Amino acid sequence: MSIGGTLSQQTTELLQELIRNAAVNDGTPGSGHEHLQVRTLQRFFEGSGLEGVVVEPHPGRQSLIVRIEGTDPTAPSLALVGHTDVVPVEPSGWSRDPFAGEIVDGVLWGRGAIDMLNLTAAYAVVTRAIATDRFRPRGDLIFAAVADEENGSRFGVGWLTEHRLDLIDADCVLTESGGAHAGAQPHLGVMVGEKGGAGRLLRVTGAPGHGSAPWGSRNAAVIAAEAVTRLARHRGTTVITPQWRAYAEALDLDPDTRTALTDPDRFYEGLPHLGTLDGFAHASTHTTISPTIVRAGEKGNVIPGTATVQLDIRILPDVTREDVEGLIRDALGDLIEHIEIEGDWFGESTASPIDTPLFAALGSAVRRAYPSAELLPMLGVGGTDGRFYRRRGIPAYGFGVLSERWDYGTFRRLFHGNDERIDLDSIALTVDALDHAVRTFHADTSTATRTRAPEEATV
Ligand SMILES: [Zn+2]
């Protein structure tokens, strides 16, 4: 890996290495292997004077935190928080090797290309650039390359928040994801918040019997299947959040579709007109329930007497535990007589204000590439490490800048999907915008000078 070249060349090469390390987090403590990512990043920082601190809450589950001290201890600090783990792949669904980091026709392929090794690489490149040129940030700049985001951050930001908050604490934060376009008058998405989550287990009780005589039996697998079907069909309440309304208004839609999509009573009329954005639109306006793990049966000739169904529940702002319970009961109807709802895990939705100096710096960074662009504050429908900060009242934004080829529907389908990839233009746009945003935010008017090569701004 060369350290020379433009910021975009450095980011591209570092991203290729991070993809090739295959830091796959399958949810087991022994997976992830983020120590490989830490080793790559340490090599990248060699010669910059930045050392960093490595934590390892579980063997192999390393995170690296690097800090550049600001010139003014009272100035606000900024943390760039990038996870280094990726989710597993189904290799048969890929057109290319998911861990080769190949570049074909200006597109870099591989697991993690958009979630979120691209951003983690860009954060590292910006941090190194700032450490090695004449710019001195006014407040501290922290780069945190963290483990285990893809499984709830138990060995990453979750652990750091509990045990080493001193390392990662900051006054504001940038993390995944953002930068996709909406509408012809360009609006670039910034994730200012995200839905919350709840996990529940349905325990189904039937009666065991002989597989040879199904008539009249109370087969727990059949009851569980009916429960899954009812949950999938249940519509629940449509909620038009301010973020969804702004998003729908930014899209190029015919007026009637737009009206439908911002009216809770007509929402489902508009949904079929949204193309690849339909899943996002639905998740943005509903507390959703996905049955994810269904288990029943032990033996091929025995009707199962018990079954379990695990539910992944994502909640909108202001939804309570009781609302979640009510939603499940509404969907299940009379099946509830066979079913216990277990578990009480609940994490609220989080959102950051946008009247902050950092948000303003993001706007000016985006307008370097798209002079008439507006930022579009969005509510993410999945989870990110931003929630650990927002819950403590710290603004955290998901930020990037993508090229025009990306609408949010396309972008989202590649998250955790087959053929994950990013175009090199988007890598260049993102690292340039991040570099500019960090320097703007941390500018000390007495010493600020901008020394970046101008060609980065023109891609
Ligand atoms: Zn991610």
Side-chain angles (χ1 to χ4, degrees), residues 71 130 133-139 435-452:
T71 54
I130 286 178
D133 70 20
R134 292 177 304 172
F135 180 84
R136 297 268 58 85
R138 201 154 62 87
D435 184 64
H436 183 80
V438 171
R439 287 167 197 265
T440 305
F441 178 77
H442 269 327
D444 180 333
T445 42
S446 61
T447 57
T449 48
R450 192 153 193 297
T451 55
R452 283 292 110 236

Side-chain angles (χ1 to χ4, degrees), residues 83 115-116 149-150 176:
H83 67 80
D115 180 15
M116 63 175 286
E149 191 276 342
E150 297 291 2
E176 65 184 331

Side-chain angles (χ1 to χ4, degrees), residues 369-448:
Y370 300 104
S372 63
E374 302 274 348
L375 298 185
L376 187 58
M378 293 172 69
L379 187 71
V381 300
T384 75
D385 280 332
R387 70 184 181 279
F388 291 94
Y389 289 92
R390 294 193 201 101
R391 279 182 191 149
R392 296 193 298 116
I394 295 162
Y397 305 121
F399 178 73
V401 182
L402 300 174
S403 64
E404 287 100 312
R405 76 166 76 185
W406 297 93
D407 67 59
Y408 191 56
T410 314
F411 183 62
R412 262 192 79 251
R413 293 218 166 177
L414 297 179
F415 267 78
H416 298 193
N418 293 333
D419 286 347
E420 186 176 345
R421 61 197 185 275
I422 189 165
D423 60 306
L424 300 187
D425 288 347
S426 293
I427 292 175
L429 287 163
T430 293
V431 72
D432 177 73
L434 281 167
D435 184 64
H436 183 80
V438 171
R439 287 167 197 265
T440 305
F441 178 77
H442 269 327
D444 180 333
T445 42
S446 61
T447 57

Side-chain angles (χ1 to χ4, degrees), residues 2 4 24 55 80 111 172 183 190 207 230 263 289 301 379 394 440:
S2 68
V24 175
V55 299
L80 308 175
R111 178 56 93 216
C172 46
V190 177
R230 288 190 189 183
D263 177 348
I289 301 180
N301 62 353
L379 187 71
I394 295 162
T440 305

Side-chain angles (χ1 to χ4, degrees), residues 179-190 244 246-253 277 280 373-376 378 402-404 406-409:
H181 294 247
Q185 152 71 25
H187 285 79
L188 268 85
V190 177
W244 173 252
Y247 193 82
E249 279 163 7
L251 294 172
D252 299 319
L253 298 170
L277 275 174
F280 172 70
E374 302 274 348
L375 298 185
L376 187 58
M378 293 172 69
L402 300 174
S403 64
E404 287 100 312
W406 297 93
D407 67 59
Y408 191 56

